[in-house]
Amino acid sequence: GDRGTRPPHIQLRIRAMRQRSWGILLAVTVVTLLWGAASGFEADDEADWDGDRDKSSTTVPVEHSLAGNNQFTARCKMTYSSPKSSSFKSKRTVSVSIDPTTLSVGDLQALQALADAGKHYRVRLPSDVNNPSSPKVVASVPACLLIASDFHEIFRVHVDQFGHIRGLWYQTMALACPAGGVQVPSSSVKVVTSVNVDMEARGPKVAVEPQPKGVTEEEVKKKAEQEKTFFGKYWMYIVGFLLVFTLMGGEPDKEGGGGGGGGK
């Protein structure tokens, strides 16, 4: 049982086993800490894109035509919300909302005249939310459909991350006008509006599209190229693996070198 009576090669082996045990324990601790740090890093990265603190909002007018010609009047407001720093990752956070609309008795009478004449009810938006005077995107339905749907309408807005409205789809809950005609209510009506957003990274643009303010497409591409490299993203795992590999190697076994002194 005395430590001094053990042969040298046994002592070397015991020392190597102890060093390996401490190395394994240290490696497990380091890997655990690195794993926790990496998980926190990924969670923070996702939170940056899901939070509202980096968002900016722009309000533009929604106009409609009740005269059956090219005369449009203000109807309500549309709010476009997007990240302040645009990137391909942040496209999913773009949102669009449209304020509630109430049609007055005068509006309803004009709508009734459109329906009786078989004409269309038209709505329009600026093609660039950063420029209210930009060329307009227009959509329409037969006026009788809006009345027949009990004033339930659907906006589908096609946008990109720069604030360009590439298309507008407008429809009502009614698919056909009644054969016997339609009749508007005698008092004001609140329109029930649903809004959907379609994100488009590429595709045909409107005929005349002004240069977007703020971030340009070149800047977005540059940011995309600056995305983390493989080593930049997974360096903690690589370092942890190398550390485990090194520590588990332990001291080289010196048993062979110590057995050559007893021949006499």
Side-chain angles (χ1 to χ4, degrees):
D2 187 7
R3 189 175 300 179
T5 62
R6 294 174 181 169
H9 68 278
I10 298 296
Q11 294 183 20
L12 288 173
R13 183 169 295 180
I14 293 174
R15 188 181 308 163
M17 291 177 62
R18 287 176 178 173
Q19 290 176 343
R20 288 181 180 177
S21 299
W22 281 108
I24 292 173
L25 180 61
L26 178 60
V28 170
T29 303
V30 171
V31 170
T32 302
L33 292 175
L34 289 175
W35 181 272
S39 301
F41 175 80
E42 294 293 337
D44 290 342
D45 183 62
E46 287 298 323
D48 288 342
W49 300 111
D50 294 335
D52 292 333
R53 62 179 180 272
D54 191 43
K55 279 192 173 183
S56 62
S57 298
T58 304
T59 301
V60 295
V62 178
E63 299 176 316
H64 64 172
S65 176
L66 292 168
N69 51 29
N70 289 327
Q71 295 180 355
F72 283 81
T73 57
R75 178 187 139 160
C76 59
K77 299 287 186 181
M78 184 191 81
T79 301
Y80 173 92
S81 300
S82 65
K84 294 178 182 178
S85 54
S86 297
S87 75
F88 293 107
K89 254 187 176 181
S90 64
K91 290 186 298 183
R92 64 177 180 262
T93 65
V94 172
S95 63
V96 172
S97 62
I98 295 180
D99 292 345
T101 298
T102 299
L103 297 178
S104 66
V105 174
D107 294 335
L108 294 174
Q109 291 174 351
L111 187 63
Q112 182 70 58
L114 286 178
D116 293 341
K119 294 184 177 181
H120 280 63
Y121 170 73
R122 295 189 294 168
V123 293
R124 71 180 187 180
L125 298 167
S127 59
D128 184 351
V129 299
N130 300 306
N131 182 10
S133 61
S134 60
K136 302 301 187 288
V137 181
V138 184
S140 66
V141 295
C144 58
L145 287 181
L146 183 58
I147 303 172
S149 68
D150 199 19
F151 301 93
H152 285 68
E153 64 183 5
I154 303 171
F155 281 83
R156 194 174 192 89
V157 186
H158 300 264
V159 299
D160 64 17
Q161 70 269 33
F162 301 106
H164 302 141
I165 298 178
R166 300 181 179 273
L168 175 63
W169 184 84
Y170 179 70
Q171 189 58 274
T172 67
M173 297 298 290
L175 301 178
C177 296
V182 291
Q183 184 64 45
V184 297
S186 57
S187 59
S188 60
V189 171
K190 185 175 181 179
V191 182
V192 179
T193 304
S194 300
V195 184
N196 295 318
V197 180
D198 278 344
M199 287 300 305
E200 294 185 2
R202 296 179 181 178
K205 299 182 180 180
V206 292
V208 178
E209 187 171 60
Q211 182 70 20
K213 298 179 181 179
V215 182
T216 64
E217 293 190 25
E218 290 298 326
E219 291 174 346
V220 172
K221 290 180 181 179
K222 186 176 180 181
K223 286 186 179 181
E225 292 172 356
Q226 292 175 348
E227 288 288 334
K228 299 173 184 176
T229 62
F230 178 83
F231 183 80
K233 190 172 183 179
Y234 298 104
W235 67 269
M236 288 181 287
Y237 301 107
I238 296 173
V239 171
F241 174 78
L242 293 176
L243 183 61
V244 171
F245 183 81
T246 302
L247 293 177
M248 289 186 66
E251 288 283 333
D253 194 350
K254 299 179 182 179
E255 181 178 352
K264 293 183 181 179

